Amino acid sequence: MRIVLGVGGGIAAYKAASLLRLFTEAGHNVTVVPTESSKQFVGAATWEALSGNPVSSSVFDEVEKVNHVRLGHEADLIVVAPATADLLARAAGGQANDLLTNTLLMARGPVVFAPAMHTEMWTHPATAANVATLRSRGAVVLEPGIGRLTGKDTGPGRLPEPEAIFAAALAAVDDGAAEAPRVLTGSTVTITAGGTREPLDPVRFLGNRSSGKQGTALADAALAAGARVRLIAAHMDVPAPRGVELVRVETALELRAAAHAAAADSDVVIMAAAVADFRPSEVVDTKIKKRDDEADPVITLVRNPDILQELVHARDTAGTGIPKLIVGFAAETGDANGDVLEYGRKKLARKGCDLLVLNRVGTSLVFGQDETEVRILSPADSGQEAVESVAGTKADVSARIIARIAAELAARSD
Ligand code: CTP
């Protein structure tokens, strides 16, 4: 397992050497990332000798290796010991002002903090809030030991014993591994999410009800499956998941440009965004005023390009076979002229994509809801029985969609 051991600037830094030995003796490959101040307590040479790997604290060392991205991405586990009050605050605040905090922001696997500080610092509401924030994001923050601290004081604040940190770290990895098989390791997945907004004037736009929940749930599931994930996010009501490469867009035309650029080096593109089919034919650059002496304005719309169709067309004409898989979403209500499945099949044929995830919608169904039900259509399916149907929370459904995508990718590379 590849482990990053972050070492904070506290007197307990020397105990991290015992923890490092436990990891290396168990056969793990450990890269130590000490903070600058921790080197006042234990020098880089000690970590290099004990780990057998180069040691750096700065994002500007070995720039060609892009360590600030690579270390977090590649780590199966990050353990921070000792985690000082300052380090917990920087991690909770999402700061990236040294190599360790950059690595934490890029982490994909479990992160374990083993705090060590004076009791007053540990019990301070600021630290308590930082610990709560980190835990709410899925990090494991161990409770410090109670006992004699560096000065005369005693109380909670001692670094937990190296054996206890070692056991908690391995347990965090086991918990993570039980969640999802990493079937997309080595694959790049681009996901579009949310609803585009088409401006009318500087303050008004035409939008839609998409919350972005489906796209972010897919991004979470793809991350859990080990993929590198790019999220092209139009307007969303929910935050982007930690660990994605985020591209923010507003309009369909911006989304189109971002999607084409991303498709060129993606294995999979998932078009989960609700892209406006139309945009105002002109955008007025000053606010449209109501005037008694003039007729009320009429908004003329023009068609937006169909991005999904374009992506398929671009791949087929380029003949590169990249992206290997293009996945569309369809929101259908069914009507007097046809049922949802029938419309879905027609849309799959029209768009030419490799999979189409079919949602049945009404104003109270799907948009903004956590529960959903979808069918996954592929051109190879024939007859209703062959269609995969999945119901559950958006997270469950997304995990199944990602599993299906992984299976389709595997079938294509056989
Ligand atoms: N889509 C797209 N570009 C557009 C509109 C939609 O790429 N201009 C994508 C969506 O991201 C989705 C799929 O096409 O993956 C289906 O979108 P949907 O709005 O359901 O279908 P439409 O093409 O708009 O068809 P219809 O108007 O018949 O519902």
Side-chain angles (χ1 to χ4, degrees):
M1 188 159 66
R2 272 175 296 200
I3 300 175
V4 168
L5 174 60
V7 180
I11 187 77
Y14 75 94
K15 287 198 198 166
S18 308
L19 178 61
L20 171 57
R21 289 298 284 270
L22 290 172
F23 284 133
T24 53
E25 276 167 20
H28 302 299
N29 181 0
V30 185
T31 301
V32 182
V33 183
T35 62
E36 201 50 51
S37 59
S38 80
K39 290 193 278 191
Q40 303 277 350
F41 299 95
V42 182
T46 303
W47 300 125
E48 290 195 346
L50 291 179
S51 69
N53 280 322
V55 164
S56 161
S57 302
S58 158
V59 293
F60 300 110
D61 292 338
E62 296 184 292
V63 175
E64 76 288 356
K65 292 192 182 156
V66 204
N67 276 336
H68 69 289
V69 172
R70 190 180 57 83
L71 286 172
H73 255 193
E74 290 181 356
D76 301 300
L77 166 70
I78 301 181
V79 181
V80 182
T84 57
D86 174 64
L87 204 39
L88 292 173
R90 289 195 287 137
Q95 292 190 26
N97 40 18
D98 62 6
L99 184 57
L100 179 53
T101 45
N102 270 272
T103 302
L104 287 168
L105 279 182
M106 294 304 296
R108 292 171 164 196
V111 178
V112 177
F113 292 92
M117 65 196 76
H118 290 284
T119 303
E120 291 82 347
M121 290 181 172
W122 174 250
T123 54
H124 194 285
T127 305
N130 291 331
V131 169
T133 300
L134 291 166
R135 284 179 176 158
S136 74
R137 292 185 197 139
V140 175
V141 183
L142 301 178
E143 287 298 319
I146 300 173
R148 181 79 199 277
L149 301 174
T150 322
K152 289 193 182 128
D153 44 347
T154 56
R158 277 170 68 92
L159 184 74
E161 291 310 312
E163 291 75 12
I165 303 172
F166 178 74
L170 296 190
V173 174
D174 281 348
D175 286 353
E179 276 168 18
R182 293 174 76 80
V183 284
L184 286 179
T185 301
S187 299
T188 299
V189 178
T190 293
I191 301 171
T192 67
T196 62
R197 289 179 161 183
E198 309 298 325
L200 276 162
D201 70 12
V203 293
R204 301 185 182 90
F205 57 83
L206 299 179
N208 61 61
R209 291 174 187 272
S210 174
S211 62
K213 282 185 182 171
Q214 182 70 72
T216 51
L218 283 163
D220 277 327
L223 286 171
R228 169 185 174 206
V229 180
R230 275 203 210 99
L231 186 69
I232 300 177
H235 175 78
M236 306 201 300
D237 296 334
V238 292
R242 203 169 68 117
V244 299
E245 292 169 27
L246 184 63
V247 182
R248 292 256 178 216
V249 294
E250 175 106 1
T251 64
L253 294 181
E254 286 170 15
L255 192 143
R256 175 202 204 190
H260 278 283
D265 70 341
S266 294
D267 297 289
V268 182
V269 176
I270 308 177
M271 285 292 299
V275 183
D277 285 324
F278 304 96
R279 67 179 182 277
S281 59
E282 62 170 329
V283 182
V284 186
D285 54 15
T286 52
K287 187 182 168 197
I288 302 167
K289 304 291 265 179
K290 53 182 178 305
R291 302 250 309 248
D292 290 338
D293 56 343
E294 275 184 17
D296 290 340
V298 174
I299 300 167
T300 312
L301 300 176
V302 291
R303 283 277 276 272
N304 274 327
D306 188 315
I307 302 162
L308 178 57
Q309 221 165 31
E310 279 187 357
L311 290 173
V312 173
H313 184 254
R315 173 184 68 183
D316 294 350
T317 47
T320 54
I322 302 224
K324 293 177 198 142
L325 209 68
I326 301 178
V327 182
F329 266 71
E332 297 290 350
T333 56
D335 61 22
N337 296 321
D339 72 3
V340 171
L341 191 58
E342 192 181 328
Y343 278 129
R345 285 201 186 292
K346 284 188 183 144
K347 192 170 284 185
L348 176 67
R350 196 168 66 243
K351 304 251 182 187
C353 52
D354 307 304
L355 290 176
L356 187 82
V357 181
L358 186 59
N359 273 311
R360 193 166 73 83
V361 292
T363 43
S364 64
L365 278 167
V366 180
F367 287 119
Q369 302 290 303
D370 291 322
E371 295 278 327
T372 188
E373 183 177 352
V374 304
R375 285 182 252 184
I376 307 175
L377 309 189
S378 115
D381 299 334
S382 60
Q384 180 127 1
E385 331 65 68
V387 175
E388 185 177 356
S389 185
V390 189
T393 61
K394 282 187 174 167
D396 298 336
V397 168
S398 298
R400 288 280 295 275
I401 296 169
I402 292 296
R404 173 70 181 267
I405 286 172
E408 297 277 342
L409 270 187
R412 278 163 172 73
S413 56
D414 281 348

mmCIF file with all atom_site columns, all heavy atoms in Angstrom, residues 271-273 275-277 304-308 328-332 347 350-351, ligand 1:
data_model
loop_
_atom_site.group_PDB
_atom_site.id
_atom_site.type_symbol
_atom_site.label_atom_id
_atom_site.label_alt_id
_atom_site.label_comp_id
_atom_site.label_asym_id
_atom_site.label_entity_id
_atom_site.label_seq_id
_atom_site.pdbx_PDB_ins_code
_atom_site.Cartn_x
_atom_site.Cartn_y
_atom_site.Cartn_z
_atom_site.occupancy
_atom_site.B_iso_or_equiv
_atom_site.pdbx_formal_charge
_atom_site.auth_seq_id
_atom_site.auth_comp_id
_atom_site.auth_asym_id
_atom_site.auth_atom_id
_atom_site.pdbx_PDB_model_num
ATOM   1   N N   . MET A 1 271 ? -22.860 12.586 -19.753 1.00 0.00 ? 271 MET A N   1
ATOM   2   C CA  . MET A 1 271 ? -23.582 13.863 -19.891 1.00 0.00 ? 271 MET A CA  1
ATOM   3   C C   . MET A 1 271 ? -24.801 13.850 -18.961 1.00 0.00 ? 271 MET A C   1
ATOM   4   O O   . MET A 1 271 ? -25.915 13.567 -19.382 1.00 0.00 ? 271 MET A O   1
ATOM   5   C CB  . MET A 1 271 ? -24.030 14.044 -21.340 1.00 0.00 ? 271 MET A CB  1
ATOM   6   C CG  . MET A 1 271 ? -22.920 14.426 -22.308 1.00 0.00 ? 271 MET A CG  1
ATOM   7   S SD  . MET A 1 271 ? -22.264 16.091 -22.033 1.00 0.00 ? 271 MET A SD  1
ATOM   8   C CE  . MET A 1 271 ? -23.731 17.068 -22.295 1.00 0.00 ? 271 MET A CE  1
ATOM   9   N N   . ALA A 1 272 ? -24.550 14.162 -17.678 1.00 0.00 ? 272 ALA A N   1
ATOM   10  C CA  . ALA A 1 272 ? -25.662 14.193 -16.724 1.00 0.00 ? 272 ALA A CA  1
ATOM   11  C C   . ALA A 1 272 ? -26.243 15.595 -16.580 1.00 0.00 ? 272 ALA A C   1
ATOM   12  O O   . ALA A 1 272 ? -27.245 15.788 -15.900 1.00 0.00 ? 272 ALA A O   1
ATOM   13  C CB  . ALA A 1 272 ? -25.196 13.671 -15.367 1.00 0.00 ? 272 ALA A CB  1
ATOM   14  N N   . ALA A 1 273 ? -25.615 16.589 -17.195 1.00 0.00 ? 273 ALA A N   1
ATOM   15  C CA  . ALA A 1 273 ? -26.107 17.966 -17.059 1.00 0.00 ? 273 ALA A CA  1
ATOM   16  C C   . ALA A 1 273 ? -27.435 18.147 -17.789 1.00 0.00 ? 273 ALA A C   1
ATOM   17  O O   . ALA A 1 273 ? -27.692 17.493 -18.799 1.00 0.00 ? 273 ALA A O   1
ATOM   18  C CB  . ALA A 1 273 ? -25.076 18.945 -17.626 1.00 0.00 ? 273 ALA A CB  1
ATOM   19  N N   . VAL A 1 275 ? -28.856 20.395 -20.058 1.00 0.00 ? 275 VAL A N   1
ATOM   20  C CA  . VAL A 1 275 ? -28.392 21.453 -20.960 1.00 0.00 ? 275 VAL A CA  1
ATOM   21  C C   . VAL A 1 275 ? -29.614 22.116 -21.587 1.00 0.00 ? 275 VAL A C   1
ATOM   22  O O   . VAL A 1 275 ? -30.499 21.427 -22.107 1.00 0.00 ? 275 VAL A O   1
ATOM   23  C CB  . VAL A 1 275 ? -27.511 20.853 -22.082 1.00 0.00 ? 275 VAL A CB  1
ATOM   24  C CG1 . VAL A 1 275 ? -26.968 21.948 -22.984 1.00 0.00 ? 275 VAL A CG1 1
ATOM   25  C CG2 . VAL A 1 275 ? -26.376 20.020 -21.505 1.00 0.00 ? 275 VAL A CG2 1
ATOM   26  N N   . ALA A 1 276 ? -29.654 23.432 -21.537 1.00 0.00 ? 276 ALA A N   1
ATOM   27  C CA  . ALA A 1 276 ? -30.790 24.133 -22.146 1.00 0.00 ? 276 ALA A CA  1
ATOM   28  C C   . ALA A 1 276 ? -30.810 23.870 -23.650 1.00 0.00 ? 276 ALA A C   1
ATOM   29  O O   . ALA A 1 276 ? -29.780 24.004 -24.312 1.00 0.00 ? 276 ALA A O   1
ATOM   30  C CB  . ALA A 1 276 ? -30.661 25.624 -21.887 1.00 0.00 ? 276 ALA A CB  1
ATOM   31  N N   . ASP A 1 277 ? -31.950 23.479 -24.159 1.00 0.00 ? 277 ASP A N   1
ATOM   32  C CA  . ASP A 1 277 ? -32.053 23.233 -25.602 1.00 0.00 ? 277 ASP A CA  1
ATOM   33  C C   . ASP A 1 277 ? -32.090 24.545 -26.384 1.00 0.00 ? 277 ASP A C   1
ATOM   34  O O   . ASP A 1 277 ? -31.797 24.560 -27.574 1.00 0.00 ? 277 ASP A O   1
ATOM   35  C CB  . ASP A 1 277 ? -33.312 22.425 -25.908 1.00 0.00 ? 277 ASP A CB  1
ATOM   36  C CG  . ASP A 1 277 ? -33.128 20.961 -25.513 1.00 0.00 ? 277 ASP A CG  1
ATOM   37  O OD1 . ASP A 1 277 ? -32.007 20.451 -25.681 1.00 0.00 ? 277 ASP A OD1 1
ATOM   38  O OD2 . ASP A 1 277 ? -34.087 20.345 -25.019 1.00 0.00 ? 277 ASP A OD2 1
ATOM   39  N N   . ASN A 1 304 ? -29.722 25.551 -29.039 1.00 0.00 ? 304 ASN A N   1
ATOM   40  C CA  . ASN A 1 304 ? -28.343 25.256 -28.658 1.00 0.00 ? 304 ASN A CA  1
ATOM   41  C C   . ASN A 1 304 ? -27.905 23.986 -29.382 1.00 0.00 ? 304 ASN A C   1
ATOM   42  O O   . ASN A 1 304 ? -28.743 23.146 -29.708 1.00 0.00 ? 304 ASN A O   1
ATOM   43  C CB  . ASN A 1 304 ? -28.249 25.021 -27.143 1.00 0.00 ? 304 ASN A CB  1
ATOM   44  C CG  . ASN A 1 304 ? -28.061 26.309 -26.378 1.00 0.00 ? 304 ASN A CG  1
ATOM   45  O OD1 . ASN A 1 304 ? -27.422 27.232 -26.872 1.00 0.00 ? 304 ASN A OD1 1
ATOM   46  N ND2 . ASN A 1 304 ? -28.625 26.385 -25.187 1.00 0.00 ? 304 ASN A ND2 1
ATOM   47  N N   . PRO A 1 305 ? -26.631 23.836 -29.626 1.00 0.00 ? 305 PRO A N   1
ATOM   48  C CA  . PRO A 1 305 ? -26.169 22.574 -30.227 1.00 0.00 ? 305 PRO A CA  1
ATOM   49  C C   . PRO A 1 305 ? -26.436 21.413 -29.271 1.00 0.00 ? 305 PRO A C   1
ATOM   50  O O   . PRO A 1 305 ? -26.457 21.600 -28.054 1.00 0.00 ? 305 PRO A O   1
ATOM   51  C CB  . PRO A 1 305 ? -24.655 22.790 -30.394 1.00 0.00 ? 305 PRO A CB  1
ATOM   52  C CG  . PRO A 1 305 ? -24.309 23.915 -29.490 1.00 0.00 ? 305 PRO A CG  1
ATOM   53  C CD  . PRO A 1 305 ? -25.527 24.759 -29.331 1.00 0.00 ? 305 PRO A CD  1
ATOM   54  N N   . ASP A 1 306 ? -26.646 20.237 -29.830 1.00 0.00 ? 306 ASP A N   1
ATOM   55  C CA  . ASP A 1 306 ? -26.793 19.044 -28.994 1.00 0.00 ? 306 ASP A CA  1
ATOM   56  C C   . ASP A 1 306 ? -25.394 18.498 -28.723 1.00 0.00 ? 306 ASP A C   1
ATOM   57  O O   . ASP A 1 306 ? -24.749 17.914 -29.594 1.00 0.00 ? 306 ASP A O   1
ATOM   58  C CB  . ASP A 1 306 ? -27.658 17.991 -29.709 1.00 0.00 ? 306 ASP A CB  1
ATOM   59  C CG  . ASP A 1 306 ? -27.972 16.837 -28.786 1.00 0.00 ? 306 ASP A CG  1
ATOM   60  O OD1 . ASP A 1 306 ? -27.051 16.358 -28.095 1.00 0.00 ? 306 ASP A OD1 1
ATOM   61  O OD2 . ASP A 1 306 ? -29.137 16.418 -28.750 1.00 0.00 ? 306 ASP A OD2 1
ATOM   62  N N   . ILE A 1 307 ? -24.932 18.733 -27.508 1.00 0.00 ? 307 ILE A N   1
ATOM   63  C CA  . ILE A 1 307 ? -23.529 18.436 -27.184 1.00 0.00 ? 307 ILE A CA  1
ATOM   64  C C   . ILE A 1 307 ? -23.270 16.932 -27.210 1.00 0.00 ? 307 ILE A C   1
ATOM   65  O O   . ILE A 1 307 ? -22.250 16.472 -27.732 1.00 0.00 ? 307 ILE A O   1
ATOM   66  C CB  . ILE A 1 307 ? -23.166 19.042 -25.804 1.00 0.00 ? 307 ILE A CB  1
ATOM   67  C CG1 . ILE A 1 307 ? -23.413 20.550 -25.830 1.00 0.00 ? 307 ILE A CG1 1
ATOM   68  C CG2 . ILE A 1 307 ? -21.731 18.731 -25.430 1.00 0.00 ? 307 ILE A CG2 1
ATOM   69  C CD1 . ILE A 1 307 ? -23.521 21.195 -24.473 1.00 0.00 ? 307 ILE A CD1 1
ATOM   70  N N   . LEU A 1 308 ? -24.195 16.180 -26.676 1.00 0.00 ? 308 LEU A N   1
ATOM   71  C CA  . LEU A 1 308 ? -24.036 14.717 -26.641 1.00 0.00 ? 308 LEU A CA  1
ATOM   72  C C   . LEU A 1 308 ? -23.872 14.166 -28.063 1.00 0.00 ? 308 LEU A C   1
ATOM   73  O O   . LEU A 1 308 ? -22.948 13.399 -28.352 1.00 0.00 ? 308 LEU A O   1
ATOM   74  C CB  . LEU A 1 308 ? -25.260 14.107 -25.941 1.00 0.00 ? 308 LEU A CB  1
ATOM   75  C CG  . LEU A 1 308 ? -25.343 12.596 -25.816 1.00 0.00 ? 308 LEU A CG  1
ATOM   76  C CD1 . LEU A 1 308 ? -24.125 12.035 -25.090 1.00 0.00 ? 308 LEU A CD1 1
ATOM   77  C CD2 . LEU A 1 308 ? -26.616 12.198 -25.063 1.00 0.00 ? 308 LEU A CD2 1
ATOM   78  N N   . GLY A 1 328 ? -25.321 9.109  -22.168 1.00 0.00 ? 328 GLY A N   1
ATOM   79  C CA  . GLY A 1 328 ? -26.303 10.184 -22.107 1.00 0.00 ? 328 GLY A CA  1
ATOM   80  C C   . GLY A 1 328 ? -27.310 9.950  -21.002 1.00 0.00 ? 328 GLY A C   1
ATOM   81  O O   . GLY A 1 328 ? -27.448 8.831  -20.494 1.00 0.00 ? 328 GLY A O   1
ATOM   82  N N   . PHE A 1 329 ? -27.979 10.994 -20.626 1.00 0.00 ? 329 PHE A N   1
ATOM   83  C CA  . PHE A 1 329 ? -29.097 10.901 -19.694 1.00 0.00 ? 329 PHE A CA  1
ATOM   84  C C   . PHE A 1 329 ? -30.339 11.376 -20.419 1.00 0.00 ? 329 PHE A C   1
ATOM   85  O O   . PHE A 1 329 ? -30.255 12.257 -21.286 1.00 0.00 ? 329 PHE A O   1
ATOM   86  C CB  . PHE A 1 329 ? -28.847 11.788 -18.468 1.00 0.00 ? 329 PHE A CB  1
ATOM   87  C CG  . PHE A 1 329 ? -28.210 11.040 -17.338 1.00 0.00 ? 329 PHE A CG  1
ATOM   88  C CD1 . PHE A 1 329 ? -26.894 10.627 -17.438 1.00 0.00 ? 329 PHE A CD1 1
ATOM   89  C CD2 . PHE A 1 329 ? -28.922 10.739 -16.186 1.00 0.00 ? 329 PHE A CD2 1
ATOM   90  C CE1 . PHE A 1 329 ? -26.298 9.914  -16.408 1.00 0.00 ? 329 PHE A CE1 1
ATOM   91  C CE2 . PHE A 1 329 ? -28.338 10.030 -15.157 1.00 0.00 ? 329 PHE A CE2 1
ATOM   92  C CZ  . PHE A 1 329 ? -27.022 9.616  -15.257 1.00 0.00 ? 329 PHE A CZ  1
ATOM   93  N N   . ALA A 1 330 ? -31.467 10.835 -20.074 1.00 0.00 ? 330 ALA A N   1
ATOM   94  C CA  . ALA A 1 330 ? -32.690 11.329 -20.686 1.00 0.00 ? 330 ALA A CA  1
ATOM   95  C C   . ALA A 1 330 ? -33.760 11.455 -19.615 1.00 0.00 ? 330 ALA A C   1
ATOM   96  O O   . ALA A 1 330 ? -33.943 10.551 -18.804 1.00 0.00 ? 330 ALA A O   1
ATOM   97  C CB  . ALA A 1 330 ? -33.156 10.378 -21.776 1.00 0.00 ? 330 ALA A CB  1
ATOM   98  N N   . ALA A 1 331 ? -34.390 12.594 -19.610 1.00 0.00 ? 331 ALA A N   1
ATOM   99  C CA  . ALA A 1 331 ? -35.507 12.817 -18.703 1.00 0.00 ? 331 ALA A CA  1
ATOM   100 C C   . ALA A 1 331 ? -36.771 12.779 -19.555 1.00 0.00 ? 331 ALA A C   1
ATOM   101 O O   . ALA A 1 331 ? -36.939 13.613 -20.439 1.00 0.00 ? 331 ALA A O   1
ATOM   102 C CB  . ALA A 1 331 ? -35.335 14.166 -18.047 1.00 0.00 ? 331 ALA A CB  1
ATOM   103 N N   . GLU A 1 332 ? -37.601 11.786 -19.302 1.00 0.00 ? 332 GLU A N   1
ATOM   104 C CA  . GLU A 1 332 ? -38.811 11.639 -20.124 1.00 0.00 ? 332 GLU A CA  1
ATOM   105 C C   . GLU A 1 332 ? -40.030 11.573 -19.221 1.00 0.00 ? 332 GLU A C   1
ATOM   106 O O   . GLU A 1 332 ? -39.974 11.045 -18.120 1.00 0.00 ? 332 GLU A O   1
ATOM   107 C CB  . GLU A 1 332 ? -38.739 10.345 -20.955 1.00 0.00 ? 332 GLU A CB  1
ATOM   108 C CG  . GLU A 1 332 ? -37.607 10.298 -21.963 1.00 0.00 ? 332 GLU A CG  1
ATOM   109 C CD  . GLU A 1 332 ? -37.798 11.251 -23.140 1.00 0.00 ? 332 GLU A CD  1
ATOM   110 O OE1 . GLU A 1 332 ? -38.898 11.820 -23.294 1.00 0.00 ? 332 GLU A OE1 1
ATOM   111 O OE2 . GLU A 1 332 ? -36.833 11.444 -23.893 1.00 0.00 ? 332 GLU A OE2 1
ATOM   112 N N   . LYS A 1 347 ? -34.480 8.050  -28.372 1.00 0.00 ? 347 LYS A N   1
ATOM   113 C CA  . LYS A 1 347 ? -33.449 9.052  -28.062 1.00 0.00 ? 347 LYS A CA  1
ATOM   114 C C   . LYS A 1 347 ? -32.059 8.437  -28.148 1.00 0.00 ? 347 LYS A C   1
ATOM   115 O O   . LYS A 1 347 ? -31.120 9.054  -28.663 1.00 0.00 ? 347 LYS A O   1
ATOM   116 C CB  . LYS A 1 347 ? -33.689 9.648  -26.674 1.00 0.00 ? 347 LYS A CB  1
ATOM   117 C CG  . LYS A 1 347 ? -32.844 10.868 -26.413 1.00 0.00 ? 347 LYS A CG  1
ATOM   118 C CD  . LYS A 1 347 ? -33.244 11.605 -25.153 1.00 0.00 ? 347 LYS A CD  1
ATOM   119 C CE  . LYS A 1 347 ? -34.508 12.410 -25.340 1.00 0.00 ? 347 LYS A CE  1
ATOM   120 N NZ  . LYS A 1 347 ? -34.835 13.222 -24.171 1.00 0.00 ? 347 LYS A NZ  1
ATOM   121 N N   . ARG A 1 350 ? -31.179 8.275  -31.699 1.00 0.00 ? 350 ARG A N   1
ATOM   122 C CA  . ARG A 1 350 ? -30.947 9.598  -32.282 1.00 0.00 ? 350 ARG A CA  1
ATOM   123 C C   . ARG A 1 350 ? -29.603 10.173 -31.852 1.00 0.00 ? 350 ARG A C   1
ATOM   124 O O   . ARG A 1 350 ? -28.861 10.731 -32.645 1.00 0.00 ? 350 ARG A O   1
ATOM   125 C CB  . ARG A 1 350 ? -32.086 10.527 -31.846 1.00 0.00 ? 350 ARG A CB  1
ATOM   126 C CG  . ARG A 1 350 ? -32.192 11.785 -32.644 1.00 0.00 ? 350 ARG A CG  1
ATOM   127 C CD  . ARG A 1 350 ? -33.486 12.533 -32.373 1.00 0.00 ? 350 ARG A CD  1
ATOM   128 N NE  . ARG A 1 350 ? -33.590 13.053 -31.045 1.00 0.00 ? 350 ARG A NE  1
ATOM   129 C CZ  . ARG A 1 350 ? -34.505 12.707 -30.147 1.00 0.00 ? 350 ARG A CZ  1
ATOM   130 N NH1 . ARG A 1 350 ? -35.425 11.802 -30.454 1.00 0.00 ? 350 ARG A NH1 1
ATOM   131 N NH2 . ARG A 1 350 ? -34.523 13.226 -28.945 1.00 0.00 ? 350 ARG A NH2 1
ATOM   132 N N   . LYS A 1 351 ? -29.288 9.986  -30.556 1.00 0.00 ? 351 LYS A N   1
ATOM   133 C CA  . LYS A 1 351 ? -28.057 10.589 -30.030 1.00 0.00 ? 351 LYS A CA  1
ATOM   134 C C   . LYS A 1 351 ? -26.840 9.744  -30.388 1.00 0.00 ? 351 LYS A C   1
ATOM   135 O O   . LYS A 1 351 ? -25.724 10.260 -30.424 1.00 0.00 ? 351 LYS A O   1
ATOM   136 C CB  . LYS A 1 351 ? -28.154 10.720 -28.515 1.00 0.00 ? 351 LYS A CB  1
ATOM   137 C CG  . LYS A 1 351 ? -29.367 11.522 -28.044 1.00 0.00 ? 351 LYS A CG  1
ATOM   138 C CD  . LYS A 1 351 ? -28.978 12.846 -27.488 1.00 0.00 ? 351 LYS A CD  1
ATOM   139 C CE  . LYS A 1 351 ? -30.202 13.599 -26.995 1.00 0.00 ? 351 LYS A CE  1
ATOM   140 N NZ  . LYS A 1 351 ? -29.879 14.944 -26.592 1.00 0.00 ? 351 LYS A NZ  1
HETATM 141 N N1  . CTP B 2 .   ? -27.944 17.222 -24.078 1.00 0.00 ? 1   CTP B N1  1
HETATM 142 C C1  . CTP B 2 .   ? -26.884 17.802 -24.750 1.00 0.00 ? 1   CTP B C1  1
HETATM 143 N N2  . CTP B 2 .   ? -27.043 18.988 -25.398 1.00 0.00 ? 1   CTP B N2  1
HETATM 144 C C2  . CTP B 2 .   ? -28.240 19.603 -25.414 1.00 0.00 ? 1   CTP B C2  1
HETATM 145 C C3  . CTP B 2 .   ? -29.346 19.010 -24.769 1.00 0.00 ? 1   CTP B C3  1
HETATM 146 C C4  . CTP B 2 .   ? -29.150 17.835 -24.104 1.00 0.00 ? 1   CTP B C4  1
HETATM 147 O O1  . CTP B 2 .   ? -25.792 17.227 -24.723 1.00 0.00 ? 1   CTP B O1  1
HETATM 148 N N3  . CTP B 2 .   ? -28.358 20.731 -26.047 1.00 0.00 ? 1   CTP B N3  1
HETATM 149 C C5  . CTP B 2 .   ? -27.753 15.921 -23.416 1.00 0.00 ? 1   CTP B C5  1
HETATM 150 C C6  . CTP B 2 .   ? -28.083 15.872 -21.972 1.00 0.00 ? 1   CTP B C6  1
HETATM 151 O O2  . CTP B 2 .   ? -26.975 16.152 -21.163 1.00 0.00 ? 1   CTP B O2  1
HETATM 152 C C7  . CTP B 2 .   ? -28.536 14.435 -21.818 1.00 0.00 ? 1   CTP B C7  1
HETATM 153 C C8  . CTP B 2 .   ? -29.162 14.098 -23.129 1.00 0.00 ? 1   CTP B C8  1
HETATM 154 O O3  . CTP B 2 .   ? -28.642 15.044 -24.050 1.00 0.00 ? 1   CTP B O3  1
HETATM 155 O O4  . CTP B 2 .   ? -27.444 13.561 -21.610 1.00 0.00 ? 1   CTP B O4  1
HETATM 156 C C9  . CTP B 2 .   ? -30.666 14.108 -23.204 1.00 0.00 ? 1   CTP B C9  1
HETATM 157 O O5  . CTP B 2 .   ? -31.191 15.335 -22.863 1.00 0.00 ? 1   CTP B O5  1
HETATM 158 P P1  . CTP B 2 .   ? -32.784 15.628 -22.914 1.00 0.00 ? 1   CTP B P1  1
HETATM 159 O O6  . CTP B 2 .   ? -32.972 17.042 -22.580 1.00 0.00 ? 1   CTP B O6  1
HETATM 160 O O7  . CTP B 2 .   ? -33.516 14.619 -22.135 1.00 0.00 ? 1   CTP B O7  1
HETATM 161 O O8  . CTP B 2 .   ? -33.071 15.344 -24.420 1.00 0.00 ? 1   CTP B O8  1
HETATM 162 P P2  . CTP B 2 .   ? -33.283 16.314 -25.618 1.00 0.00 ? 1   CTP B P2  1
HETATM 163 O O9  . CTP B 2 .   ? -32.179 16.107 -26.570 1.00 0.00 ? 1   CTP B O9  1
HETATM 164 O O10 . CTP B 2 .   ? -33.492 17.680 -25.111 1.00 0.00 ? 1   CTP B O10 1
HETATM 165 O O11 . CTP B 2 .   ? -34.586 15.746 -26.295 1.00 0.00 ? 1   CTP B O11 1
HETATM 166 P P3  . CTP B 2 .   ? -36.111 16.147 -26.057 1.00 0.00 ? 1   CTP B P3  1
HETATM 167 O O12 . CTP B 2 .   ? -36.176 17.622 -26.307 1.00 0.00 ? 1   CTP B O12 1
HETATM 168 O O13 . CTP B 2 .   ? -36.781 15.305 -27.077 1.00 0.00 ? 1   CTP B O13 1
HETATM 169 O O14 . CTP B 2 .   ? -36.451 15.750 -24.668 1.00 0.00 ? 1   CTP B O14 1
#
